[in-house]
Amino acid sequence: MILPKVSVIIPIYNAERHLRQCLDSIAGQTLREIEIICVDDGSTDTSLDILRAYADKDDRFSIIRQQNQFAGMARNNGMRHAKGVYLAFFDADDFFEPDMLEKAYEQCEQDQADLCLWSADYYDTNTGLSTPFDYCLDRSLIPATIPFSARDMPDDIFQISAASPWNKLYRRSMVEKHQLLYPSTKRSEDTFFASMAMYHASRITIVDKPFVHYRQAHGGNQQSGTDLTPLDWYHVMLQLKEALQRTGGFDSVQASYLKLLIGNGYYYMSLMRSWEGFQISHEHLSRELRPEYTRLQNGLNQLPTWFSGMLRQLSTTSLPEYLFHEWKQQKAVCDTLHKQITQHEQSLQKLQQENAFLQVLAMQTMRRQYRKYLLLSHCTFGAMRLRYRRKKNELKAKLSSQLIRHQSL
């Protein structure tokens, strides 16, 4: 039996609205030697019927059913059935470029890499427009030599790529060797798996193309209910720290872990829609960061400006003080945007005035050209009429003279 080159694992939970577009973009990959493992995580809509329809038409599809245990457990279940040389994890509400797996597979084979990274864009469901997802792959951090590993960039290994599973291709033997699994949390489970893979991969390569269209503004992604489990991200970060410590290599990537902790904490606090969720997230993040601030107090310049500023604010201020500082920061951003908008409005008004003037000028020019054309036309046709009359008179005179001569004979 020939093993598939890539095992694609997709957790599905009540994804009927966008599921067909996702599955079509996977089934239509130019790399044909793939298996598509769809794990139905207890869907109550028509997702399972859609999966069965695809499986009936394409034997590369297989369906696994389980009770609702969330995306991480569904991915773990899919991995247990995977046979491919590489693993790919995708979400059921996104869709993908057709050459994604082929390009990533070829790059991994060429570089003998354990991991391949690529970029993505945001796809707005309401407008149908795509915008760059710069955070997905930080091009400023890409090292000069590829492939690379955590040993080559320990201070930024968790920052070069978003801690998401869907912009990566994983060598299955590497995943199995290090026994990498997703945590059982409802949210943020991908941070642990993706970060541990980045840490353990001995060779990481890159295809710098936006292969994934990450869907937004549809209300069905996991982040839309963050308040229900406000500390999932925090528990995952603690699990990640403990796992790195068990390997004995935490000290080497501690700076990168700290930046990931600050970035994730800030991100999930911004997702909270309740005061309770925000408050408890801030409390736990601040408590975790205080020892780090004490450790780095005389060396905060080792961190980039934003991270050092957030570390200071979260470690040394109360919640009201932090909120006041954030309000001032956001107000400054809003003021800057307001100035930019005002400048754009003034520029637009000036352009409109210039456009109106140009339209008047163009109309006047057209009128002058038209009058010139009429004048030239009259002159031309007048000259033609004169020449015609002269010829006519000459011919008439000639005929008259000939008639007189004929009569005289």
Side-chain angles (χ1 to χ4, degrees), residues 142-196:
I142 296 177
T145 302
I146 298 174
F148 61 95
S149 71
R151 293 187 299 275
D152 302 310
M153 49 181 309
D155 292 344
D156 295 302
I157 190 60
F158 302 137
Q159 281 68 56
I160 188 173
S161 172
S164 54
W166 38 258
N167 70 327
K168 300 174 179 67
L169 189 67
Y170 309 78
R171 188 178 291 273
R172 183 161 65 94
S173 59
M174 183 269 293
V175 172
E176 292 177 346
K177 174 184 177 181
H178 297 288
Q179 300 179 346
L180 300 184
L181 293 171
Y182 289 86
S184 60
T185 55
K186 187 175 183 178
R187 294 172 180 82
S188 197
E189 78 292 336
D190 43 8
T191 298
F192 178 88
F193 187 91
S195 299
M196 290 302 294

Side-chain angles (χ1 to χ4, degrees), residues 76-92:
N76 290 342
N77 200 354
M79 275 195 287
R80 284 193 286 270
H81 295 81
K83 303 179 181 66
V85 180
Y86 295 92
L87 301 173
F89 303 94
F90 300 127
D91 291 341

Side-chain angles (χ1 to χ4, degrees), residues 310-326:
M310 287 305 303
L311 177 59
R312 182 183 294 105
Q313 285 297 323
L314 289 165
S315 303
T316 62
T317 63
S318 64
L319 179 55
E321 291 171 329
Y322 169 77
L323 288 174
F324 181 66
H325 174 266
E326 281 296 294

Side-chain angles (χ1 to χ4, degrees), residues 6-8 26 29 31 86-91 94-97 99-108 114-121 133-139 142 148 160-171 198 204-214:
V6 177
S7 295
V8 177
I26 297 298
Q29 290 290 305
L31 183 68
Y86 295 92
L87 301 173
F89 303 94
F90 300 127
D91 291 341
D94 300 331
F95 61 103
F96 315 93
E97 288 297 305
D99 59 344
M100 172 183 61
L101 293 178
E102 180 181 14
K103 296 296 185 184
Y105 173 82
E106 289 175 350
Q107 196 67 48
C108 277
D114 291 328
L115 195 61
C116 180
L117 315 178
W118 56 80
S119 59
D121 60 36
F133 187 173
D134 295 329
Y135 172 65
C136 185
L137 181 64
D138 191 336
R139 293 168 179 82
I142 296 177
F148 61 95
I160 188 173
S161 172
S164 54
W166 38 258
N167 70 327
K168 300 174 179 67
L169 189 67
Y170 309 78
R171 188 178 291 273
M198 292 289 292
I204 303 172
T205 192
I206 292 174
V207 180
D208 188 7
K209 292 185 178 180
F211 286 137
V212 179
H213 303 292
Y214 180 70

Side-chain angles (χ1 to χ4, degrees), residues 68-349:
N68 183 230
Q69 301 174 57
F70 313 127
M73 294 295 97
R75 294 189 185 108
N76 290 342
N77 200 354
M79 275 195 287
R80 284 193 286 270
H81 295 81
K83 303 179 181 66
V85 180
Y86 295 92
L87 301 173
F89 303 94
F90 300 127
D91 291 341
D93 51 359
D94 300 331
F95 61 103
F96 315 93
E97 288 297 305
D99 59 344
M100 172 183 61
L101 293 178
E102 180 181 14
K103 296 296 185 184
Y105 173 82
E106 289 175 350
Q107 196 67 48
C108 277
E109 290 293 287
Q110 176 182 316
D111 293 336
Q112 288 299 292
D114 291 328
L115 195 61
C116 180
L117 315 178
W118 56 80
S119 59
D121 60 36
Y122 289 113
Y123 177 78
D124 192 305
T125 300
N126 295 331
T127 64
L129 299 177
S130 297
T131 54
F133 187 173
D134 295 329
Y135 172 65
C136 185
L137 181 64
D138 191 336
R139 293 168 179 82
S140 67
L141 296 178
I142 296 177
T145 302
I146 298 174
F148 61 95
S149 71
R151 293 187 299 275
D152 302 310
M153 49 181 309
D155 292 344
D156 295 302
I157 190 60
F158 302 137
Q159 281 68 56
I160 188 173
S161 172
S164 54
W166 38 258
N167 70 327
K168 300 174 179 67
L169 189 67
Y170 309 78
R171 188 178 291 273
R172 183 161 65 94
S173 59
M174 183 269 293
V175 172
E176 292 177 346
K177 174 184 177 181
H178 297 288
Q179 300 179 346
L180 300 184
L181 293 171
Y182 289 86
S184 60
T185 55
K186 187 175 183 178
R187 294 172 180 82
S188 197
E189 78 292 336
D190 43 8
T191 298
F192 178 88
F193 187 91
S195 299
M196 290 302 294
M198 292 289 292
Y199 173 79
H200 282 299
S202 59
R203 295 168 70 87
I204 303 172
T205 192
I206 292 174
V207 180
D208 188 7
K209 292 185 178 180
F211 286 137
V212 179
H213 303 292
Y214 180 70
R215 193 182 300 274
Q216 287 194 311
H218 64 100
N221 56 5
Q222 291 191 37
Q223 283 75 18
S224 60
T226 307
D227 295 86
L228 300 176
T229 52
L231 289 180
D232 273 2
W233 69 270
Y234 175 75
H235 295 312
V236 166
M237 290 302 302
L238 293 186
Q239 290 181 50
L240 176 60
K241 183 178 182 179
E242 292 168 0
L244 291 170
Q245 288 173 334
R246 286 196 298 270
T247 68
F250 175 72
D251 291 343
S252 64
V253 296
Q254 187 171 5
S256 186
Y257 171 83
L258 177 59
K259 287 185 283 188
L260 182 64
L261 174 63
I262 296 171
N264 269 13
Y266 184 83
Y267 170 70
Y268 278 98
M269 281 196 299
S270 70
L271 291 179
M272 299 299 169
R273 296 295 177 265
S274 69
W275 170 248
E276 291 77 11
F278 181 87
Q279 187 177 27
I280 193 172
S281 294
H282 177 272
E283 177 187 343
H284 283 73
L285 179 60
S286 297
R287 187 170 61 215
E288 192 69 21
L289 289 178
R290 287 188 192 107
E292 296 297 324
Y293 178 75
T294 301
R295 181 177 65 87
L296 292 172
Q297 192 166 2
N298 296 324
L300 283 180
N301 57 356
Q302 299 174 17
L303 294 174
T305 303
W306 184 85
F307 288 103
S308 61
M310 287 305 303
L311 177 59
R312 182 183 294 105
Q313 285 297 323
L314 289 165
S315 303
T316 62
T317 63
S318 64
L319 179 55
E321 291 171 329
Y322 169 77
L323 288 174
F324 181 66
H325 174 266
E326 281 296 294
W327 174 80
K328 288 196 299 183
Q329 294 285 81
Q330 296 300 323
K331 185 178 183 301
V333 171
C334 290
D335 289 344
T336 301
L337 289 174
H338 178 70
K339 290 179 181 178
Q340 292 175 350
I341 291 171
T342 302
Q343 291 171 354
H344 288 317
E345 288 175 343
Q346 292 172 349
S347 298
L348 179 60
Q349 186 178 8

